[in-house]
Amino acid sequence: MESVPVRCPACQREHLYAPPVYPCACGAPLVPPLMRDATPEPITRRTWNDDWVSVRCLSCERRDQWPQPELGCPCGAVLRMLVHPVDGAAPTAEGGPVAGGGPDGSRPAHIPLPRTATAARPSFRPVTIRTARDAVTAAAMYLRWLGFHDVVQPEARPVSGIDLRGAGVVAQVDSSTRATGLRAVECLWLNGLSASAQSVFFSLAGYADDARARADRLGIPLFVMDLTGCPQPVNAPADELITIGT
């Protein structure tokens, strides 16, 4: 797959961007056709329509909705990569409209479940939180439920503050009684960036307004947990992580 040069309009940093490859229902790999000469758009607010794009498979001509390609710049900007539009409605293989994919957060029919899942997930079984260690355990169980089955906990919390690591994921758990602040969210994002992994944050006391706004811009899923140990999503990236899985 060929990478394309991209310049961040916010900081003018140069990147090489490789578009994602999606699995068409016919089995062929599907790559969104990027508009190479178009300037990427910084994402300042998210809507359902902007987060999905219609792409046609070159093998079977099927048209479906897939996540809009994005690029995260180290300056903090999240860039929407523009894709050549597909004219007309986006039918399924049977010729009807695309199933799912509505503003209620339902999963488009063609988006696969986590790689290890063969059917819909069973209900999550939380663990009661009595200590800070219990909070980390509950977060680890939840990430495994989402599909990150190799998540591990360090014996002692590292200086970086990262409580959980697995293939493709790093997570931090804030069990304090104060709302999680901006710095903690940004540090987690930097750790995820250096590890080429998805960053996920869990907090017992919620998030400061600037921390939540920054997480939205960076695409970091935020969850809150009560003492029953059941995480609840508080932003769109968290909803998407639950809906699509890993």
Side-chain angles (χ1 to χ4, degrees):
M1 175 176 36
E2 182 181 359
S3 298
V4 297
V6 177
R7 182 187 295 273
C8 175
C11 68
Q12 301 302 308
R13 189 175 309 207
E14 291 278 0
H15 302 274
L16 278 178
Y17 177 77
V21 179
Y22 299 125
C24 181
C26 74
L30 186 152
V31 180
L34 299 182
M35 300 173 64
R36 293 172 176 261
D37 296 330
T39 301
E41 300 175 346
I43 299 175
T44 56
R45 60 185 296 271
R46 291 186 178 273
T47 66
W48 180 266
N49 288 337
D50 289 339
D51 283 346
W52 299 87
V53 63
S54 181
V55 182
R56 178 164 44 211
C57 176
L58 297 179
S59 296
C60 69
E61 297 297 316
R62 177 189 176 107
R63 289 177 290 179
D64 271 324
Q65 296 290 313
W66 294 96
Q68 172 77 45
E70 296 178 2
L71 169 66
C73 180
C75 76
V78 180
L79 310 177
R80 180 180 293 118
M81 308 300 295
L82 301 185
V83 174
H84 284 286
V86 175
D87 294 332
T92 64
E94 292 74 30
V98 173
D104 61 351
S106 56
R107 179 178 63 89
H110 61 280
I111 297 293
L113 291 168
R115 290 186 300 271
T116 54
T118 57
R121 299 188 195 100
S123 298
F124 175 66
R125 295 184 177 181
V127 57
T128 301
I129 297 176
R130 297 182 177 87
T131 66
R133 191 68 179 176
D134 290 339
V136 176
T137 298
M141 292 173 59
Y142 193 74
L143 289 173
R144 295 180 188 123
W145 177 75
L146 287 173
F148 299 101
H149 292 297
D150 58 350
V151 173
V152 295
Q153 307 175 46
E155 288 299 323
R157 192 178 195 192
V159 176
S160 66
I162 302 303
D163 298 291
L164 300 166
R165 289 185 182 273
V169 67
V170 294
Q172 188 165 337
V173 182
D174 186 352
S175 57
S176 69
T177 56
R178 293 190 299 178
T180 299
L182 175 64
R183 180 178 176 81
V185 168
E186 290 180 333
C187 288
L188 173 65
W189 175 72
L190 289 172
N191 276 278
L193 191 67
S194 64
S196 298
Q198 171 69 64
S199 301
V200 185
F201 215 116
F202 298 87
S203 175
L204 266 66
Y207 302 87
D209 290 343
D210 56 353
R212 180 167 176 174
R214 188 65 160 164
D216 289 344
R217 288 188 60 197
L218 298 175
I220 298 176
L222 302 180
F223 293 88
V224 293
M225 292 192 295
D226 58 23
L227 296 184
T228 66
C230 188
Q232 298 294 328
V234 297
N235 66 350
D239 286 330
E240 184 176 354
L241 184 62
I242 294 172
T243 302
I244 299 177
T246 64

